[in-house]
Amino acid sequence: MIEVDPDRCAGSGMCALTDPAVFDQDEVDGTVVLLDPTAVGHEKEAREAAHLCPAGAIRVIE
Amino acid sequence: MTETLHPELPMERSSPLDPPTRLGELRETEPISRLQFPDGHLGWLVTSHSLTRAVLADQRFSNRPELQHSPIRIGGQVVPPSPPSEPGMFITTDGAEHSRYRKLLTGQFTVRRMNQLTPRIEQIVANHLAAMREAGPGVDLVQAFALPVPSMVICELLGVPYEEREGFQRDTGTSFKLSNDFEEIQAAFNRIKAFVADLVRRKHDDPGDDMLTGLIQSGELNDEEVTNMGLLLLVAGHETTANMLGIGTLALLQHPDQLAELRADPSLVDNAVEELMRYLSIIQLGPIRTALEDLELGGVTVKEGESVVISVPAANRDPNRFDRPDELDIHRPATGHVGFGHGVHQCLGQQLARIEMRVAFRALFTEFPDLRLAIPASEVPMRTDMGIYGVHRLPVEFS
């Protein structure tokens, strides 16, 4: 399961770059949009996105 | 832990593509070490990847200029204390103030928006490569390609007339030159600011489809804020990507095996860009942060008010994070490098920089398959005297 916190998000886009199937960015302010909270089959990418997120806005709950 | 006092940030390199040797030694023994700043301040130097991430992600560290101390002399002089940030200088603000300004821009720099710019960037790149061919062998790749491509892109995005670039390009160069007098740097910076302020005034009467106009029309900002935000984007869009293109080309030419693999499979360029960012780490000075309270970091106590200098080149060569860190390997997983920083201040323009580098390197080595240096590598003038590392010139040959 993935949780995101748009309030913490700095809009760097690292999540959307790492896995565009799971993450997107808001059109207006660039903050994280979670497309697929389960990320089935994308677990490795989701963990990578959480690790790369500069603002700690993504959490993967195992 | 034995505490060694380092008199100034080590800047001396034993080889042009590698970080100063002393930084690597420090990372092994004291990844957070005491640093004596030229103004007498006793602060810290961080050289490991994990501590770099820890500092940059921790909001107990401030990026406000009036709290910071410079780790080097500029123009041989001790850098005087900085005044607080002017309105809109979002890079050097903290917390809610920073995020308010940054959020007005982040929607403009998303992965999707930057991908949409690809065709236009390809066109700009192709035009400059054609002009470079016309100029013929011996041409300086920096002046013909590395500088004008990102310059034209950021000018178009912001709505800065490209034909007016001469003045602010020269002043940008002046403001990053470490041997210049501090007053000289300040004067150059003020001239760029006056230029952008005038442009903002002109955009009120003659709006365009560009970021400066968008910021004005957002209704959220006064002209001084728009000017300072525009100034930051213009300066950042000039020096950084341009230097990555220059020194990145040199690095690939100096690693012919890697270049051959990139030529054989151009889809490797995405990863090659990450690896070049890691390997070259062109930010020579900082980022710098100042502790807002006493805190524990890497086994030491950093006291409130103490400045911490991060060494990006050292962090990106940390063997605890990257295998064989001193080798350029375009196949390695290089993500997680801190070449664009980390934390809430991580480079706003990083997705633009990625697209520019991907398009530029790919087209350069396709258009000029036998690109080579026109002078011995040892004679390439390196930017050891600049806040952002790279090459001053890169004369190249091709057939």
Side-chain angles (χ1 to χ4, degrees), chain A residues 6-14 16-17 24-31 48 51-55, chain B residues 53 57 102-103 106-113 274 321 335-336 342-344 346-347 350-351 354 358:
Chain A
D7 286 341
R8 289 183 71 108
C9 177
S12 77
M14 290 314 294
L17 185 76
D24 197 357
Q25 289 173 275
D26 183 88
E27 285 281 344
V28 177
D29 66 9
T31 51
E48 171 82 349
H51 173 70
L52 292 180
C53 177
Chain B
R53 273 179 62 105
R102 181 162 168 130
K103 277 199 171 142
T106 39
Q108 306 290 318
F109 286 95
T110 60
V111 173
R112 185 186 299 115
R113 284 220 187 198
E274 300 306 318
R321 178 61 181 77
T335 52
H342 188 66
V344 295
Q346 194 183 53
C347 179
Q350 60 179 298
Q351 306 303 348
R354 282 192 171 92
R358 289 169 178 183

Side-chain angles (χ1 to χ4, degrees), chain B residues 7-154:
Chain B
E8 263 188 32
L9 181 66
M11 302 247 327
E12 201 176 319
R13 295 173 189 253
S14 55
S15 112
L17 298 181
D18 293 316
T21 315
R22 183 76 189 116
L23 293 174
E25 294 166 359
L26 278 175
R27 190 185 50 227
E28 295 301 306
T29 55
E30 293 174 84
I32 174 160
S33 60
R34 271 291 188 194
L35 185 69
Q36 176 81 63
F37 290 56
D39 65 0
H41 177 72
L42 197 55
W44 302 93
L45 171 62
V46 161
T47 44
S48 77
H49 187 271
S50 62
L51 291 181
T52 292
R53 273 179 62 105
V55 171
L56 294 178
D58 190 334
Q59 307 236 13
R60 293 176 297 169
F61 283 103
S62 170
N63 201 22
R64 283 157 54 197
E66 71 272 25
L67 303 178
Q68 286 181 1
H69 300 264
S70 172
I72 61 154
R73 287 166 197 271
I74 299 211
Q77 300 164 294
V78 172
V79 179
S82 296
S85 276
E86 292 181 13
M89 287 280 180
F90 62 95
I91 292 180
T92 46
T93 52
D94 296 337
E97 192 185 5
H98 165 255
S99 90
R100 174 190 164 231
Y101 289 125
R102 181 162 168 130
K103 277 199 171 142
L104 289 169
L105 291 167
T106 39
Q108 306 290 318
F109 286 95
T110 60
V111 173
R112 185 186 299 115
R113 284 220 187 198
M114 294 303 110
N115 281 333
Q116 286 165 350
L117 290 178
T118 303
R120 177 61 187 139
I121 295 173
E122 283 172 344
Q123 192 186 7
I124 291 172
V125 163
N127 292 346
H128 283 88
L129 291 179
M132 196 167 120
R133 183 171 288 289
E134 208 161 287
V139 66
D140 172 16
L141 186 112
V142 172
Q143 287 304 320
F145 185 68
L147 179 62
V149 167
S151 173
M152 191 175 237
V153 172
I154 195 68

Side-chain angles (χ1 to χ4, degrees), chain B residues 302-375:
Chain B
V302 177
K303 292 227 161 61
E304 178 186 345
E306 288 183 337
S307 280
V308 178
V309 182
I310 306 282
S311 172
V312 174
N316 277 338
R317 297 286 187 101
D318 188 339
N320 288 321
R321 178 61 181 77
F322 300 102
D323 292 335
R324 302 166 289 105
D326 293 324
E327 286 176 33
L328 179 73
D329 176 2
I330 61 170
H331 294 280
R332 81 158 72 235
T335 52
H337 67 75
V338 287
F340 288 116
H342 188 66
V344 295
H345 289 283
Q346 194 183 53
C347 179
L348 174 71
Q350 60 179 298
Q351 306 303 348
L352 174 61
R354 282 192 171 92
I355 301 287
E356 289 182 341
M357 284 187 273
R358 289 169 178 183
V359 169
F361 284 127
R362 190 168 175 155
L364 175 67
F365 292 110
T366 305
E367 176 68 23
F368 299 105
D370 65 344
L371 191 80
R372 56 199 180 271
L373 293 179
I375 58 173

Side-chain angles (χ1 to χ4, degrees), chain B residues 282-297:
Chain B
I282 58 172
I283 305 297
Q284 294 207 88
L285 285 178
I288 305 167
R289 295 289 186 269
T290 304
L292 293 171
E293 56 186 82
D294 291 2
L295 48 89
E296 298 296 312
L297 184 73

Side-chain angles (χ1 to χ4, degrees), chain B residues 142 243 245-247 250 380-383 389-394:
Chain B
V142 172
N243 282 298
L245 292 179
I247 194 174
L250 173 64
V380 173
M382 304 305 296
R383 291 171 47 111
Y389 195 58
V391 296
H392 279 296
R393 291 183 303 114
L394 196 68

